Amino acid sequence: KNHRALASFYPAIAFSESATQALLVIGQTYSIELLQFSSAETGIFLLILLIFSSIGCYLSPLSLHLLSPIQSNQLCLFFLGLFTAGAAGFVKDAGQKVLFYVFAIFWGACGGWKYTIERYLTCTIIPKGQDAELMGLYLFSGQVLTWLPPLVFAAMNEAGVSIRISMLSLLLFWFIAIVCLQCMGSYDKVIREANDGTDEARTESPNCERDDVVREEELGNEESKIDAADRVCEICQR
């Protein structure tokens, strides 16, 4: 009952991550089919994404001075959709390769921003004591729908839809992710729910007090052993 925010957060991860990963593949297809990229030019495109994704990691802490982590994540996804729409709208032929590289810079920066803020958000809203299973669910959510955006793109392409319009299908996934993040509520409320869940789990555990007693007994035994060892050392020195 204290995981309502996580119930919206994990679908957001599933949709946003699937679209972001698909952008790499669809971007390469777009550049080769429409812009006639060579293998070397495709390599430059991928290198730009890699370099600027590292730089984009610094956008996450900067955004937190003005926005909550949830709002920062939403803004990042909005920019990803905006730049994708811009690339599909303005990059039309092989004479605009440089412009496509410019959009690759923006994609890379937003990608680094996205991965950083999502992991920060995950670590802060997971209740203590449930880190392993909920972090595992986070990783699972990031992979469960990775097949869907490429499938939608390929189906539209095979149906004769323009590759520029097919690329815009990614916007639907980012939009759904933004809506799911909005359903989480305020960041402060999410943090309170996570802390309440931790306190309730500790209170409701029937073995909680017994475990504390056992730990105290074990600590006392260890101290007794240390004192006994010290006395033996003093005797030996005499």
PDB file of all heavy atoms in Angstrom, residues 33 81 195 237:
ATOM      1  N   GLU A  33      19.225   5.203 -44.464  1.00  0.00           N
ATOM      2  CA  GLU A  33      18.206   5.133 -45.507  1.00  0.00           C
ATOM      3  C   GLU A  33      17.929   6.504 -46.129  1.00  0.00           C
ATOM      4  O   GLU A  33      17.796   6.617 -47.350  1.00  0.00           O
ATOM      5  CB  GLU A  33      16.909   4.573 -44.921  1.00  0.00           C
ATOM      6  CG  GLU A  33      17.000   3.124 -44.488  1.00  0.00           C
ATOM      7  CD  GLU A  33      17.169   2.184 -45.671  1.00  0.00           C
ATOM      8  OE1 GLU A  33      16.651   2.511 -46.764  1.00  0.00           O
ATOM      9  OE2 GLU A  33      17.823   1.134 -45.510  1.00  0.00           O
ATOM     10  N   GLY A  81      11.806  14.020 -26.848  1.00  0.00           N
ATOM     11  CA  GLY A  81      10.745  14.038 -27.852  1.00  0.00           C
ATOM     12  C   GLY A  81      10.835  15.251 -28.760  1.00  0.00           C
ATOM     13  O   GLY A  81      10.618  15.149 -29.980  1.00  0.00           O
ATOM     14  N   ASN A 195       9.515   6.348   3.378  1.00  0.00           N
ATOM     15  CA  ASN A 195       9.933   6.285   4.777  1.00  0.00           C
ATOM     16  C   ASN A 195       8.877   5.631   5.654  1.00  0.00           C
ATOM     17  O   ASN A 195       9.196   4.865   6.565  1.00  0.00           O
ATOM     18  CB  ASN A 195      10.223   7.699   5.293  1.00  0.00           C
ATOM     19  CG  ASN A 195      11.437   8.316   4.623  1.00  0.00           C
ATOM     20  OD1 ASN A 195      12.322   7.605   4.148  1.00  0.00           O
ATOM     21  ND2 ASN A 195      11.483   9.638   4.556  1.00  0.00           N
ATOM     22  N   GLN A 237      52.595 -11.725  29.592  1.00  0.00           N
ATOM     23  CA  GLN A 237      53.629 -10.708  29.741  1.00  0.00           C
ATOM     24  C   GLN A 237      54.280 -10.778  31.122  1.00  0.00           C
ATOM     25  O   GLN A 237      55.449 -10.503  31.281  1.00  0.00           O
ATOM     26  CB  GLN A 237      53.026  -9.321  29.490  1.00  0.00           C
ATOM     27  CG  GLN A 237      52.665  -9.072  28.045  1.00  0.00           C
ATOM     28  CD  GLN A 237      51.965  -7.753  27.860  1.00  0.00           C
ATOM     29  OE1 GLN A 237      51.695  -7.052  28.821  1.00  0.00           O
ATOM     30  NE2 GLN A 237      51.683  -7.428  26.594  1.00  0.00           N
TER      31      GLN A 237
END
